[in-house]
Amino acid sequence: MKNILVTGAFGQIGSELVPALLKKKGVKIVVAHDKRQPPAGMPGIIELADITDGAAIERIIKKYKIDTVFHLVSLLSATGEQNPNLAWDVNMNGLKIILDLAVKYKLRVFWPSSIAAFGPTTPRDKTPQETVLEPTTMYGVTKVAGELLCQYYFKKYNLDVRSVRYPGLISWKTPPGGGTTDYAVAIFYEALKTGSYECFVKKDTILPMMYMDDAIRGTIKLMDAPASKIKIRTSYNMAAISFRADELVKEINNSPFFKGSTAKRGGISVLKVTYKPDHRQKIADSWPRSINDSQARRDWGWKHDFDLAKMTKVMLKNLQKSL
Ligand code: AKB
């Protein structure tokens, strides 16, 4: 893992994964993007490329002698429902292009799947690694198809492609965009900015979540693991915390990092949340409440570090500074 290509690098995961990868000795990163302006201070060599343009991606792979790809470009669940054709094109054709180039140039690949691969017929509590995969969103359909495609390329071409099913990711550096789990991030911004938030899922909604530092550490650990340890070539269940929406509100309100900074927010001392479920509730209801990730823990030593309290503290502390 020396010359790395990261697609979708300006997104929520990429903007934290790129600096983390650059801490590894001798690593050179090329970041591929289309029309978006890079965030201020984005490290790495920046190249212009549309992920559905195979020739442009191939030119970058050759130019920088890429050996590993973190293929992160994706439309998420809520945006995918607004434009299912685009979601299929970007998520599936983009992945197929990367996998074909990976075979041709003998690259290693990381590709993220998601809890969106599950659906209403999946057991919702402690969802097993191997289970029913009947998602109801186009995003979820592309995740299931993508998982099978990755496994196919591993079996047919011996391609070293690895994947995890991310839960909702919570971070403060770059906001997420277009996901169903985004309320668990937006609530922190609104707590600090206005002291009130209209939540688009019901208060008793429980979804699997993870603090971004855990997700980044886990992703790099998976890619660093010897190939002999990787037993799953579709995608590994990977879990950290599960909480109700109103439990998060309680945690924020009880946090000394929220209460202690009242003066800075013009006297706002309590976060008030109203619940107005919209179309995203149906998506949330089709996903698991908690995930059994024992196989990832056993095979390559996955372990989360952030619980609800620790994650809330770090989110409030850092957002306070950055806002
Ligand atoms: C979404 O909500 O669409 C994503 C995901 C769980 O993959 N955060």
Side-chain angles (χ1 to χ4, degrees):
M1 200 150 72
K2 290 269 179 261
N3 297 339
I4 302 175
L5 171 64
V6 182
T7 70
F10 303 166
Q12 193 198 11
I13 302 171
S15 49
E16 304 215 22
L17 182 66
V18 170
L21 287 171
L22 279 169
K23 284 196 190 126
K24 284 169 127 351
K25 223 173 130 218
V27 158
K28 191 167 82 193
I29 306 257
V30 181
V31 153
H33 77 120
D34 45 26
K35 293 171 203 75
R36 272 168 75 180
Q37 277 300 100
M42 181 81 206
I45 303 161
I46 296 174
E47 281 278 348
L48 196 76
D50 177 341
I51 192 59
T52 58
D53 179 353
I57 302 292
E58 182 163 11
R59 182 182 56 75
I60 295 171
I61 288 171
K62 274 166 51 185
K63 182 170 169 192
Y64 296 100
K65 299 188 170 49
I66 296 297
D67 56 53
T68 308
V69 183
F70 287 78
H71 176 47
L72 305 179
V73 170
S74 178
L75 259 71
L76 298 187
S77 55
T79 327
E81 286 316 281
Q82 279 155 23
N83 197 341
N85 289 336
L86 184 66
W88 179 268
D89 192 29
V90 171
N91 296 6
M92 283 318 299
N93 295 335
L95 175 61
K96 176 86 172 31
I97 284 171
I98 293 292
L99 293 177
D100 284 331
L101 289 169
V103 172
K104 186 166 175 187
Y105 293 97
K106 298 190 173 29
L107 316 178
R108 299 174 68 230
V109 179
F110 172 81
W111 171 77
S113 185
S114 157
I115 53 164
F118 303 119
T121 49
T122 306
R124 291 193 72 199
D125 296 303
K126 298 200 175 72
T127 301
Q129 174 66 47
E130 262 137 44
T131 186
V132 185
L133 299 173
E134 291 182 333
T136 51
T137 62
M138 179 54 95
Y139 175 61
V141 169
T142 66
K143 289 303 180 195
V144 176
E147 287 189 9
L148 294 174
L149 199 61
C150 288
Q151 181 176 251
Y152 179 84
Y153 273 68
F154 168 71
K155 286 188 171 165
K156 188 157 177 87
Y157 305 111
N158 201 23
L159 181 71
D160 189 358
V161 49
R162 305 178 183 194
S163 175
V164 291
R165 293 173 178 149
Y166 285 130
L169 297 178
I170 300 181
S171 66
W172 59 272
K173 285 188 191 145
T174 313
T180 302
T181 56
D182 291 8
Y183 65 90
V185 181
I187 202 165
F188 284 98
Y189 281 81
E190 291 312 314
L192 294 172
K193 284 202 295 207
T194 64
S196 66
Y197 179 61
E198 189 177 275
C199 186
F200 59 76
V201 294
K202 289 188 275 185
K203 65 177 172 192
D204 60 355
T205 303
I206 302 177
L207 284 174
M209 302 277 180
M210 183 181 290
Y211 185 57
M212 186 61 87
D213 284 18
D214 274 342
I216 299 296
R217 209 173 30 77
T219 302
I220 295 177
K221 196 170 174 58
L222 172 72
M223 288 303 279
D224 281 344
S228 59
K229 299 264 179 209
I230 309 301
K231 309 285 184 211
I232 302 278
R233 294 292 179 161
T234 49
S235 189
Y236 274 99
N237 278 4
M238 190 200 198
I241 35 179
S242 286
F243 48 81
R244 284 169 55 119
D246 59 358
E247 270 180 280
L248 177 59
V249 179
K250 198 166 149 207
E251 192 66 41
I252 293 174
N253 273 325
N254 287 338
S255 169
F257 286 91
F258 186 63
K259 287 198 271 205
S261 60
T262 305
K264 285 189 208 142
R265 297 193 306 275
I268 299 168
S269 58
V270 190
L271 164 64
K272 291 200 187 90
V273 176
T274 49
Y275 297 89
K276 204 169 166 212
D278 66 12
H279 57 281
R280 289 167 283 191
Q281 183 69 52
K282 210 167 142 211
I283 301 178
D285 288 344
S286 76
W287 289 351
R289 285 183 284 253
S290 63
I291 301 287
N292 178 341
D293 62 354
S294 51
Q295 181 141 11
R297 290 175 191 257
R298 215 172 36 241
D299 287 0
W300 47 274
W302 158 243
K303 198 166 165 279
H304 73 280
D305 181 29
F306 286 78
D307 60 14
L308 177 59
K310 191 168 172 189
M311 180 272 289
T312 305
K313 182 174 148 185
V314 184
M315 281 296 287
L316 289 169
K317 207 171 143 192
N318 286 305
L319 267 183
Q320 205 114 250
K321 282 189 225 145
S322 75
L323 288 174

